[in-house]
Amino acid sequence: TLFPYTTLFRSQDPVDRMLDVVRYCVSAIRYEKFDGRKPYNPVLGETMTCSFESNTSTAGRVHMIAEQVSHHPPITSAYMDHRNATFQATWKGKPTFMGNSIEIAFRGERFVTLKHFNEVYEIEIPKIQIRGILVGKKGFEWVGKLRVDCKETELTAKVNFRAAGFLGMFGDWYTVDGALKRVKKGGKQKDKNLLKTFRGKWNDKMYIIDESTGAEEIFYNYADTSYKPDMRYPDPPLPHESRSVWRDLTQCLEQGDYAGANKAKNKVEEEQRELRKKRKDDGVEWTPQFFEKVAELSYRPCEDALAAHLLDALALDKTSSEY
């Protein structure tokens, strides 16, 4: 996401912190164009390592690593760390063919942890719907719900991503609505107190309405996420990094050489088949470098391995303010 990650720990108000997390999650929803081409297919053990700075230069850097921890089924784990907050996720895309569209649900788990408040925010994200495969208006749309729950503050937020009408030709695209509630659980009873509501479009402006006063203001502006953060990658790229694995394919796509791109992709996939055969012949079971499996679709970061990798790959100084 390009939204300033480091705003998540500033407010002393738990409602504002929840809204910051919701805003952060919405900022990860990006507008994409569907051109019918196949996406990149991450290979087993492929990683992406980077660090980036938000648009507040004094807030420190965010360090991130993602790893493809399983190929069949395809599962990705990711971890981001800032001195005041962490993000952790494991997900698997599950596509469903629906006649004129394909819907992709992201199963797994996602958590934002605010270190100074000892708060954990559990996140559910919407699905992707690729429409107009056969007839109607072609488009890439997010549908379903974004849900954020925090047990420590007894707050829950839900943003509904509404689908366009039949064949994508009726109704509005990219519309959202939702609510923020305080849910106090006592025995079998749940006391739900509506605090805020949302409306608007996620790819333009979202508005928030205070239910106690009726006041409305801009909650999120998609244009604010268009800045380019200061990115840092391993230099030179490590062999298992995405920039190394898909270098030739990316160069061909940038040059419009689609035949060359297919050739480059086939080469990577053939190399992976040979590696799988060798592991099988040698009786070697592959294990992730930076994450440990604890349950189905649940992986935890190996903290020592992650710290050592980030320090070395990104040439970090533990004594500096950016660490």
Side-chain angles (χ1 to χ4, degrees), residues 8 11 30 57 67 89 130 197 225 283 303 319:
L8 295 179
S11 178
R30 312 306 298 168
S57 59
E67 181 177 10
I130 302 172
T197 54
T225 67
E303 294 184 2
T319 64

Side-chain angles (χ1 to χ4, degrees), residues 93-147:
K94 180 175 175 56
T96 302
F97 182 66
M98 304 177 67
N100 194 44
S101 64
I102 296 175
E103 195 168 86
I104 303 173
F106 296 97
R107 297 183 176 177
E109 57 183 15
R110 299 154 203 87
F111 304 99
V112 167
T113 301
L114 304 189
K115 298 177 182 179
H116 290 283
F117 299 101
N118 293 317
E119 294 171 354
V120 178
Y121 295 79
E122 187 173 355
I123 301 163
E124 177 186 347
I125 65 173
K127 298 173 284 189
I128 289 175
Q129 191 175 84
I130 302 172
R131 308 182 63 147
I133 294 176
L134 301 176
V135 295
K137 184 179 179 180
K138 287 182 171 59
F140 179 105
E141 192 174 19
W142 292 88
V143 299
K145 66 182 177 182
L146 165 67
R147 185 183 178 98

Side-chain angles (χ1 to χ4, degrees), residues 226-243:
S226 61
Y227 76 96
K228 293 183 179 180
D230 173 30
M231 302 295 298
R232 183 182 299 173
Y233 301 96
D235 187 20
L238 301 172
H240 49 77
E241 286 281 305
S242 298
R243 293 191 303 147

Side-chain angles (χ1 to χ4, degrees), residues 49-206:
T49 306
C50 68
S51 74
F52 59 90
E53 194 168 62
S54 75
N55 61 353
T56 53
S57 59
T58 60
R61 301 187 71 87
V62 178
H63 311 299
M64 184 199 110
I65 183 165
E67 181 177 10
Q68 192 71 6
V69 295
S70 173
H71 189 66
H72 293 295
I75 301 174
T76 306
S77 286
Y79 180 78
M80 290 196 296
D81 184 79
H82 182 268
R83 60 184 178 228
N84 293 310
T86 64
F87 171 81
Q88 178 181 323
T90 296
W91 67 91
K92 175 182 74 171
K94 180 175 175 56
T96 302
F97 182 66
M98 304 177 67
N100 194 44
S101 64
I102 296 175
E103 195 168 86
I104 303 173
F106 296 97
R107 297 183 176 177
E109 57 183 15
R110 299 154 203 87
F111 304 99
V112 167
T113 301
L114 304 189
K115 298 177 182 179
H116 290 283
F117 299 101
N118 293 317
E119 294 171 354
V120 178
Y121 295 79
E122 187 173 355
I123 301 163
E124 177 186 347
I125 65 173
K127 298 173 284 189
I128 289 175
Q129 191 175 84
I130 302 172
R131 308 182 63 147
I133 294 176
L134 301 176
V135 295
K137 184 179 179 180
K138 287 182 171 59
F140 179 105
E141 192 174 19
W142 292 88
V143 299
K145 66 182 177 182
L146 165 67
R147 185 183 178 98
V148 182
D149 293 296
C150 181
K151 293 180 181 179
E152 291 78 9
T153 61
E154 298 182 315
L155 293 171
T156 182
K158 184 168 70 171
V159 179
N160 301 302
F161 289 69
R162 301 297 184 183
F166 180 65
L167 298 181
M169 296 185 292
F170 304 99
D172 291 331
W173 290 65
Y174 318 123
T175 60
V176 294
D177 58 57
L180 167 62
K181 300 178 181 179
R182 189 182 303 279
V183 181
K184 294 185 177 181
K185 298 180 180 179
K188 296 182 180 180
Q189 300 297 320
K190 287 186 179 181
D191 180 19
K192 296 184 179 181
N193 181 16
L194 179 63
L195 303 177
K196 313 279 186 179
T197 54
F198 305 100
R199 71 170 187 86
K201 293 193 173 188
W202 65 261
N203 68 333
D204 187 10
K205 292 184 179 69
M206 282 180 60

Side-chain angles (χ1 to χ4, degrees), residues 299-323:
Y299 286 74
R300 294 291 179 266
C302 303
E303 294 184 2
D304 291 343
L306 272 173
H309 172 69
L310 290 170
L311 284 167
D312 181 57
L314 298 174
L316 299 178
D317 178 2
K318 290 183 69 173
T319 64
S320 73
S321 60
E322 70 175 17
Y323 178 70

